Amino acid sequence: MRYDIAIIGSGPAGYTAAIYGARAGLRLLIVAGAEPGGQLTRTSEVENYPGYPDGVLGPKMMEDFRRQAERFGAEIVYDQVEKVELREDPKRLWLSSGEIIESEAVIIATGSSPKWLGIEGEQRLYGAGVSACAVCDGFFYRGQPVAVVGGGDTACEEALYLSKLCSEVHMLIRRDQMRASKIMQDRVRHTPTIHIHWHTIPIEVLGEKSVEGVRVRHLQSGDERVIPVKGFFVAIGHKPNTDIFQGQIELDPQGYIVTKPKSTHTNIEGVFAAGDVQDPVYRQAVTAAGTGCMAALDAERWLSERRFLLKATATNQSS
Ligand SMILES: Cc1cc2nc3c(=O)[nH]c(=O)nc-3n(C[C@H](O)[C@H](O)[C@H](O)COP(=O)(O)OP(=O)(O)OC[C@H]3O[C@@H](n4cnc5c(N)ncnc54)[C@H](O)[C@@H]3O)c2cc1C
């Protein structure tokens, strides 16, 4: 089957690109991947997406996105892309089922995944106090103590954000220094509600139904103790889902797809990237949807221009 645009990923970026592309009259396929609906299907309440004044459950919101894309004729295949050939014309996607999809343009919206510590209680209490996103979940712990794990810029940003909402922020740092930039470190150190615990690692997240505390170990003395917290924020980085694009498309040192400034164009003609897969900074549903819209508009313009040039060349050759 040959399409105008194939979209890899069915999170907010992929579905938004599909809504815009399908409404522009393009023949369009979404490959949904192993997690149809994307990361928000793993959460309960989403309170910061505009248009839902009473909040909305993540899976319900992504169901709405899907229905809106299908209403305009977007096709969806519930499969995973295993291999891509993006420099050929048409571009080709190999699905796990063995099917090969051909498309003139491709939008990559494969998202990213937070890195986890792998400690006891972390996955059991995920979504019940354990989080990897302060902007998403910090509001739920306002006025309460929380912990942040990590010593990089992201961990500092998460701690500073939480310090404006929560009673205390305990930063757990493995070494006796942070990897964060000096300015971020200074801001953290000068915030009275942030307590830095050096040489300290979390070893267990405690709580029956929701987080009640974290058991930590001091790496020099070996002493263990419990810090009572209601939220446990893991800020040790994200991994963009770009393994299948390695060697074909330009990635930054962390593996995020590099897009040209103020656009979603990648270094390959006709290949666009949207959402968390190209965004190490904001990582929000609304920003993913915004860049999904940009990718569809960029792809539509690229297709029109290319078809115009192909037609003009054919006319010149025949005259
Ligand atoms: C628990 C949790 C709570 C959150 N809460 C909020 C919140 O309250 N507000 C907010 O704004 N943001 C929130 N976020 C962040 C938000 O979910 C992300 O920023 C957003 O989902 C990114 O959208 P995306 O479309 O770029 O990628 P994703 O949502 O990550 O979707 C990626 C898609 O790509 C697909 N895919 C990956 N690899 C392949 C492949 N090889 N072949 C085919 N498909 C593939 C996956 O199946 C998936 O459908 C939360 C995140 C989490 C994890």
Side-chain angles (χ1 to χ4, degrees):
M1 193 70 79
R2 189 169 168 158
Y3 292 88
D4 297 323
I5 306 180
I7 298 172
I8 313 178
S10 58
Y15 278 145
T16 305
I19 293 164
Y20 276 77
R23 289 190 79 248
L26 296 167
R27 177 124 208 255
L28 195 142
L29 178 76
I30 304 168
V31 187
E35 191 171 42
Q39 291 174 60
L40 282 182
T41 59
R42 285 181 237 158
T43 193
S44 48
E45 204 72 30
V46 178
E47 294 191 328
N48 55 9
Y49 198 87
Y52 291 100
D54 302 319
V56 58
L57 294 175
K60 159 79 174 95
M61 182 170 135
M62 295 320 300
E63 179 69 13
D64 290 347
F65 271 61
R66 180 186 62 74
R67 283 180 38 229
Q68 196 171 351
E70 282 186 326
R71 181 181 151 211
F72 299 112
E75 292 174 41
I76 304 177
V77 57
Y78 292 92
D79 206 337
Q80 181 87 354
V81 176
E82 287 199 335
K83 195 176 104 177
V84 292
E85 181 45 74
L86 300 174
R87 290 187 183 275
E88 305 270 303
D89 182 21
K91 303 173 193 315
R92 284 196 197 87
L93 313 179
W94 280 261
L95 306 188
S96 305
S97 61
E99 195 183 344
I100 299 172
I101 305 295
E102 292 189 339
S103 184
E104 245 178 292
V106 169
I107 295 176
I108 301 173
T110 48
S112 69
S113 312
K115 292 182 187 162
W116 296 107
L117 299 157
I119 60 172
E120 192 68 36
E122 184 184 48
Q123 289 309 312
R124 182 173 56 81
L125 293 166
Y126 177 60
V130 174
S131 169
C133 177
V135 175
C136 310
D137 297 328
F139 189 74
F140 299 122
Y141 307 104
R142 59 196 183 282
Q144 303 190 68
V146 297
V148 174
V149 187
D153 276 329
T154 305
C156 289
E157 269 167 20
E158 302 272 279
L160 288 164
Y161 183 88
L162 291 165
S163 71
K164 293 174 202 126
L165 293 168
C166 303
S167 57
E168 290 178 301
V169 180
H170 297 274
M171 274 190 91
L172 310 179
I173 297 178
R174 166 178 281 276
R175 298 187 297 159
D176 60 355
Q177 54 185 306
M178 296 186 202
R179 280 177 292 107
S181 58
K182 171 135 185 353
I183 187 154
M184 288 301 279
Q185 294 193 34
D186 287 348
R187 286 180 61 201
V188 162
R189 285 173 206 258
H190 289 101
T191 304
T193 49
I194 299 181
H195 311 293
I196 302 176
H197 303 263
W198 302 108
H199 294 295
T200 302
I201 56 163
I203 51 174
E204 184 181 2
V205 189
L206 304 167
E208 276 295 311
K209 293 209 166 85
S210 62
V211 170
E212 297 291 343
V214 54
R215 188 184 303 285
V216 299
R217 180 181 297 143
H218 191 274
L219 287 173
Q220 286 180 326
S221 66
D223 290 347
E224 290 184 11
R225 70 191 176 99
V226 172
I227 305 176
V229 290
K230 296 290 184 189
F232 182 75
F233 290 84
V234 180
I236 56 171
H238 279 68
K239 185 187 179 308
N241 301 320
T242 50
D243 288 355
I244 55 170
F245 310 111
Q246 296 270 357
Q248 290 200 42
I249 204 158
E250 187 185 354
L251 305 176
D252 76 5
Q254 280 77 48
Y256 287 90
I257 296 178
V258 176
T259 50
K260 298 199 173 140
K262 293 188 182 168
S263 85
T264 60
H265 288 263
T266 68
N267 65 318
I268 303 180
E269 279 283 301
V271 180
F272 308 84
D276 285 12
V277 74
Q278 52 82 58
D279 174 14
V281 180
Y282 301 104
R283 290 195 297 256
Q284 293 296 294
V286 70
T287 48
T291 51
C293 157
M294 289 167 64
L297 296 179
D298 286 343
E300 192 273 327
R301 283 167 199 164
W302 179 82
L303 284 166
S304 303
E305 213 168 289
R306 174 184 141 93
R307 287 168 184 175
F308 176 79
L309 288 173
L310 286 173
K311 206 168 160 188
T313 312
T315 312
N316 284 344
Q317 278 169 355
S318 64
S319 58

